[in-house]
């Protein structure tokens, strides 16, 4: 039974994260902002107009790094304190106030990149030779030189940064504050509904009548807000298109892929190959779910059910640590110390409460420890999600220690590899520990339903839809709710064919995902999982040497391109092979599920007849 969500003030403290590691008091936070503004002013006064040679380039970047390191905890505290309760007026006002302050800071600091870009390349190269710390930063700056605008224009654009971020804030407010779900009824009985309970519980509910009724009620509420949400999204898209045009990029795709350090062919390959070659495997999986559950038809609302719900254990937060410790132990003592601290020192927000951001994320502020947000429901799915977010934490725990603030963060294309790697390690560990057909089927179905469905299907279909949206925007068009619904429905129907009925409400799935406000992000999940699937196979086959190489990749942070980082881990993503191998691996897992199901059903039939 799904209970109504408690208020944030009603949840247990031990289930929440401890933001006092960033700032002990509100006064300390306020003082940090005052100091930051003063430091920015002093930095600008010293260096604005005075970056002229290699020596002053290095000095300016040292000062810039020091300022940036002070921006990070303030921004992180502001963001995290509002993400756990979007209904908290104080947190929302704090967030809005800091947004304005940050925009002013960005505007004052915009001169750094503008003046560095105007220097001759030989001066920048000389600075690189004198200081390896800033080589990576300056190489990226040289690459971006042709898209840099006049310093005054850059300053103005930076001043508008909080305004440009407005659509994302509006999306979250609509979703987490304004959207209130009514109870839904099945056979005369009422059941509570919320964003978190739908995505955490009802979507996987084994009772078909309740699951489909919850889907219908959830979709009906989304529909009430479709026009506002579409207008909000269009505003965001038009801002990106205008920026791409202003900066002189050939297309909005070139603009959004530029910082990812991959070309459009790698982006397209990820979407096209998976859409074409994974679809038959996933349709087979959908038909298996339909058969096992005895469904009259397979609908979009049924795709998240567990293959064997009777085998699904309830897992407490404490129990999750044992699973994760055992699975990730191969990563070594330093990594496991990080995992241990994350539980003990309250780096993780487990609570379920009203107004909390949906899904899960990891924030890894430079100079501090990571923070993880998750809403714990007690399913095996949560263990995979937590392992995933600890993968991000372990990545930046390593990168932040080894690299300076400019070098720690890798391309978005690579960002999901360390997280999905941990999911693979959990899956592999579980598979190694039993030959019981039911347990084996449960583990493999968890891998397919959680790791691969989520990253290779859900996010991939978002990416296929997102590409159609951007093609329309790039051609000078705009979008509204009708257009977005049609595009989303078309993508779902193409992938699932006649094997899954795309029922009414499925087309509104575009309203559920904040990733659309983060550039070309959704496709990177499958890119990261392609890399981690291949690396996890190496770990299984080669053991410690493969782990050691992977830890070196984590420490490298953003000092190399995604292709170079993958190569360090023994994977060549410049070819189709890793992706094709991963799709084949998913197909093999689904074939195993079919065989195991037949074996289990045959055993059950034999036992009944005895």
């Amino acid at each position: 039974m799904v209970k109504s969500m408690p208020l944030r003030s009603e949840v247990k403290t031990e289930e929440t994260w401890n933001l006092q590691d960033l700032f002990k008091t509100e006064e300390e936070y306020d003082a940090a902002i005052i100091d930051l503004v003063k430091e920015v002013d002093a930095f600008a006064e010293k260096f604005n107009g005075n970056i002229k040679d290699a020596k002053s380039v290095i000095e300016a970047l040292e000062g810039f790094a020091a300022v940036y390191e002070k921006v990070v905890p303030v921004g992180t505290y502001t963001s995290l304190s509002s993400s756990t309760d979007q209904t908290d007026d104080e947190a929302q006002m704090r967030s809005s106030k800091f947004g304005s302050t940050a925009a002013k800071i960005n505007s004052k600091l915009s001169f750094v990149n503008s003046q560095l870009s105007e220097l001759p390349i030989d001066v920048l190269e000389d600075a690189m030779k004198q200081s390896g710390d800033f080589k990576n930063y300056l190489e990226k700056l040289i690459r971006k030189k042709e898209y840099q605008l006049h310093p005054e224009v850059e300053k103005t654009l930076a001043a508008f940064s909080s305004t440009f971020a407005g659509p994302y804030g509006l999306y979250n407010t609509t979703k987490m504050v304004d959207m209130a779900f009514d109870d839904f009824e099945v056979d005369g009985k009422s059941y509570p509904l919320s964003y978190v309970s739908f995505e955490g519980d009802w979507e996987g509910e084994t009772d078909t009548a309740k699951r489909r009724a919850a889907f219908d009620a959830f979709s009906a509420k989304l529909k009430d807000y479709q026009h506002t949400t579409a207008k909000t999204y269009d505003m965001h898209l038009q801002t990106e298109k205008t920026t791409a045009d202003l900066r002189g990029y050939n297309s909005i795709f070139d603009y959004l892929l530029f910082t990812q350090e991959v070309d459009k062919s790698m982006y397209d390959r990820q979407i096209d190959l998976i859409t074409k070659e994974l679809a038959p495997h996933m349709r087979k999986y959908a038909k298996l779910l339909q058969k096992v559950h005895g469904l009259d038809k397979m609908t979009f609302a049924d795709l998240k059910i567990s293959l064997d719900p009777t085998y699904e254990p309830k897992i407490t937060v404490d129990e999750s640590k044992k699973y994760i410790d055992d699975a990730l132990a191969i990563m070594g003592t330093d990594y496991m110390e990080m995992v241990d601290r994350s539980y003990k020192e309250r780096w993780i927000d487990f609570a379920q409460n009203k107004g909390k951001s949906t899904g899960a994320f990891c924030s890894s502020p430079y100079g501090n420890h990571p923070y993880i947000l998750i809403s714990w429901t007690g399913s095996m799915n949560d263990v995979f999600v937590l392992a995933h977010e600890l993968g991000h934490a372990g990545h930046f725990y390593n990168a932040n220690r080894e690299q300076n603030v400019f070098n720690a963060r890798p391309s978005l294309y690579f960002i999901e590899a360390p997280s999905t790697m941990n999911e693979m390690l959990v899956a592999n560990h579980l598979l190694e520990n039993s030959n019981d057909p039911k347990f084996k089927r449960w583990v493999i179905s968890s891998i397919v339903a959680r790791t691969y469905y989520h990253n290779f299907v859900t996010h991939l279909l978002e990416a296929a839809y997102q590409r159609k949206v951007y093609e329309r925007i790039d051609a000078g068009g705009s979008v509204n709710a009708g257009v977005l619904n049609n595009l989303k429905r078309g993508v779902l129907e193409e992938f699932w064919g006649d094997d899954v009925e795309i029922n009414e409400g499925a087309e509104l799935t575009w309203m559920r995902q904040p990733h659309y406000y983060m550039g070309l992000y959704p496709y990177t999940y499958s890119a990261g999982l392609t890399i981690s699937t291949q690396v996890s196979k190496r770990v299984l086959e080669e053991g410690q040497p493969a782990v050691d190489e992977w830890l070196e990749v984590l420490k490298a942070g953003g000092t190399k391109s995604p292709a170079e980082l993958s190569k360090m881990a023994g994977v060549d993503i410049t070819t189709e092979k890793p992706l094709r191998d991963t799709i084949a691996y998913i197909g093999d897992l689904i074939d195993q599920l079919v065989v195991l199901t037949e074996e289990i059903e045959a055993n059950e039939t034999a036992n009944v007849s005895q």
Side-chain angles (χ1 to χ4, degrees):
M1 172 66 190
V2 179
K3 299 193 290 288
S4 292
M5 286 286 130
L7 299 172
R8 182 69 178 178
S9 58
E10 295 169 341
V11 301
K12 295 174 186 169
T13 303
E14 61 266 27
E15 292 179 1
T16 65
W17 53 28
N18 179 19
L19 294 185
Q20 288 183 335
D21 288 349
L22 288 166
F23 294 101
K24 287 191 169 51
T25 62
E26 196 70 24
E27 291 74 28
E28 197 179 300
Y29 165 82
D30 291 336
I33 294 179
I34 292 165
D35 286 346
L36 176 60
V37 170
K38 283 181 188 166
E39 195 157 326
V40 168
D41 287 342
F43 172 78
E45 196 174 320
K46 182 176 180 182
F47 288 105
N48 196 352
N50 296 319
I51 309 175
K52 296 187 169 135
D53 53 21
K55 184 170 178 286
S56 55
V57 167
I58 294 165
E59 284 175 4
L61 285 175
E62 284 170 348
F64 190 36
V67 169
Y68 195 68
E69 282 181 34
K70 292 193 174 172
V71 172
V72 171
V74 177
T76 304
Y77 182 86
T78 308
S79 159
L80 296 187
S81 59
S82 63
S83 66
T84 49
D85 187 1
Q86 303 270 349
T87 66
D88 181 342
D89 286 344
E90 191 181 317
Q92 299 316 311
M93 292 308 291
R94 184 198 295 120
S95 184
S96 181
K97 184 181 176 186
F98 180 69
S100 302
T101 305
K104 286 173 189 164
I105 287 170
N106 288 338
S107 185
K108 278 182 183 168
L109 294 174
S110 68
F111 77 88
V112 178
N113 282 346
S114 291
Q115 289 175 26
L116 287 173
S117 294
E118 289 179 335
L119 291 173
I121 286 178
D122 59 349
V123 172
L124 298 178
E125 286 174 343
D126 192 18
M128 283 187 237
K129 282 175 196 157
Q130 290 183 38
S131 174
D133 286 350
F134 303 114
K135 182 174 184 289
N136 191 42
Y137 186 90
L138 292 170
E139 278 175 349
K140 287 178 178 172
L141 188 112
I142 290 168
R143 190 171 157 255
K144 208 174 178 180
K145 216 174 180 351
E146 63 179 300
Y147 304 112
Q148 193 77 8
L149 300 172
H150 186 280
E152 285 305 313
V153 178
E154 293 290 351
K155 189 176 178 181
T156 305
L157 286 174
F160 274 105
S161 57
S162 67
T163 308
F164 294 153
Y168 181 44
L170 181 55
Y171 166 79
N172 276 325
T173 302
T174 305
K175 177 178 167 179
M176 300 312 304
V177 182
D178 285 346
M179 217 180 272
F181 293 84
D182 299 323
D183 291 358
F184 66 94
E185 266 193 34
V186 179
D187 297 331
K189 196 170 176 187
S190 277
Y191 299 92
L193 183 65
S194 68
Y195 232 110
V196 171
S197 72
F198 176 74
E199 294 191 341
D201 291 295
W202 291 121
E203 214 172 13
E205 167 64 43
T206 52
D207 183 312
T208 301
K210 288 180 194 170
R211 181 177 66 254
R212 290 178 179 173
F215 181 87
D216 290 342
F218 183 74
S219 300
K221 181 53 68 176
L222 289 184
K223 197 171 186 178
D224 289 344
Y225 290 86
Q226 62 178 327
H227 299 295
T228 303
T229 309
K231 191 70 185 168
T232 301
Y233 184 37
D234 188 57
M235 206 187 324
H236 171 77
L237 293 165
Q238 299 303 337
T239 302
E240 287 182 319
K241 172 63 176 162
T242 303
T243 306
D245 289 347
L246 273 176
R247 292 197 176 280
Y249 288 92
N250 290 330
S251 73
I252 198 166
F253 292 100
D254 290 344
Y255 163 57
L256 294 171
L257 287 170
F258 185 85
T259 53
Q260 291 187 25
E261 299 176 83
V262 293
D263 60 32
K264 190 160 183 288
S265 68
M266 284 172 75
Y267 163 76
D268 285 332
R269 179 176 73 206
Q270 210 67 26
I271 297 171
D272 294 336
L273 256 184
I274 297 174
T275 303
K276 184 172 157 223
E277 297 189 14
L278 183 64
H281 297 305
M282 294 312 300
R283 290 177 191 181
K284 185 191 283 189
Y285 174 67
K287 294 308 266 183
L288 180 64
L289 284 177
Q290 183 182 356
K291 175 174 169 277
V292 168
H293 285 272
L295 300 177
D296 55 332
K297 59 185 176 181
M298 191 67 190
T299 76
F300 184 79
D302 303 318
L303 285 166
K304 294 290 182 76
I305 51 178
S306 169
L307 189 59
D308 187 358
T310 62
Y311 211 87
E312 189 77 24
K314 290 304 277 183
I315 296 164
T316 66
V317 166
D318 286 342
E319 287 165 347
S320 74
K321 187 166 188 305
K322 172 103 176 74
Y323 277 105
I324 284 171
D325 281 355
D326 290 349
L328 303 186
I330 194 169
M331 295 293 287
T333 51
D334 182 63
Y335 197 97
M336 295 318 296
E337 187 186 310
M338 183 271 304
V339 172
D340 200 43
R341 287 182 63 199
S342 71
Y343 279 86
K344 274 188 188 159
E345 297 174 17
R346 287 176 45 218
W347 298 2
I348 307 167
D349 200 273
F350 291 102
Q352 285 196 50
N353 60 264
K354 281 183 182 168
K356 185 172 176 177
S357 291
T358 59
F361 66 74
C362 176
S363 175
S364 300
Y366 191 86
N368 209 296
H369 63 72
Y371 282 93
I372 291 170
L373 178 139
I374 182 173
S375 295
W376 194 261
T377 64
S379 69
M380 191 64 197
N381 187 45
D382 290 344
V383 178
F384 279 96
V385 174
L386 185 53
H388 177 105
E389 299 308 335
L390 283 165
H392 286 305
H395 187 188
F396 290 105
Y397 184 75
N398 277 282
N400 287 351
R401 284 187 308 183
E402 298 287 330
Q403 306 296 339
N404 67 36
V405 71
F406 298 137
N407 289 352
R409 199 165 186 80
S411 154
L412 200 58
Y413 186 93
F414 192 83
I415 215 96
E416 295 299 337
S419 52
T420 52
M421 174 68 175
N422 276 13
E423 292 189 54
M424 296 307 300
L425 293 176
V426 170
N428 290 341
H429 171 73
L430 290 171
L431 279 176
E432 281 169 6
N433 285 303
S434 177
N435 287 318
D436 174 50
K438 277 202 141 188
F439 182 81
K440 200 171 178 188
R441 182 176 72 163
W442 169 68
V443 174
I444 293 173
S445 64
S446 294
I447 304 166
V448 172
R450 158 62 214 168
T451 300
Y452 285 109
Y453 189 100
H454 191 65
N455 299 301
F456 250 76
V457 181
T458 301
H459 289 319
L460 195 278
L461 293 179
E462 287 164 3
Y465 150 83
Q466 189 185 40
R467 183 170 64 176
K468 289 179 185 294
V469 170
Y470 276 123
E471 282 167 355
R472 188 181 174 94
I473 298 298
D474 215 32
S478 58
V479 295
N480 60 21
V483 167
L484 296 173
N485 289 343
N486 286 336
L487 289 176
K488 187 66 187 177
R489 175 170 284 278
V491 164
L492 293 174
E493 286 174 345
E494 181 188 355
F495 188 84
W496 292 109
D498 296 332
D499 294 302
V500 176
E501 181 186 305
I502 307 303
N503 42 318
E504 190 181 344
E507 72 281 357
L508 297 166
T509 311
W510 63 267
M511 293 178 65
R512 292 164 56 182
Q513 189 50 267
H515 290 158
Y516 299 134
Y517 295 84
M518 303 170 190
L520 296 176
Y521 188 18
Y523 91 103
T524 66
Y525 280 86
S526 66
L529 185 51
T530 300
I531 296 161
S532 60
T533 298
Q534 300 310 312
V535 177
S536 68
K537 279 189 191 175
R538 283 194 64 212
V539 170
L540 272 181
E541 290 159 13
E542 300 169 34
Q544 202 58 48
V547 172
D548 292 343
E549 285 179 13
W550 184 241
L551 289 168
E552 289 306 309
V553 170
L554 301 186
K555 290 172 185 173
T559 57
K560 295 178 187 298
S561 71
E564 289 168 333
L565 289 169
S566 304
K567 201 168 184 183
M568 280 176 74
V571 181
D572 185 1
I573 57 165
T574 62
T575 71
E576 289 183 354
K577 190 175 185 306
L579 181 54
R580 284 190 186 277
D581 286 351
T582 301
I583 292 170
Y585 175 69
I586 300 169
D588 179 59
L589 290 176
I590 291 166
D591 288 342
Q592 286 184 57
L593 289 179
V594 172
V595 171
L596 285 165
T597 299
E598 287 168 357
E599 186 185 328
I600 290 162
E601 287 174 352
N603 287 341
E604 285 171 350
T605 305
N607 290 337
V608 168
S609 61
Q610 280 174 5

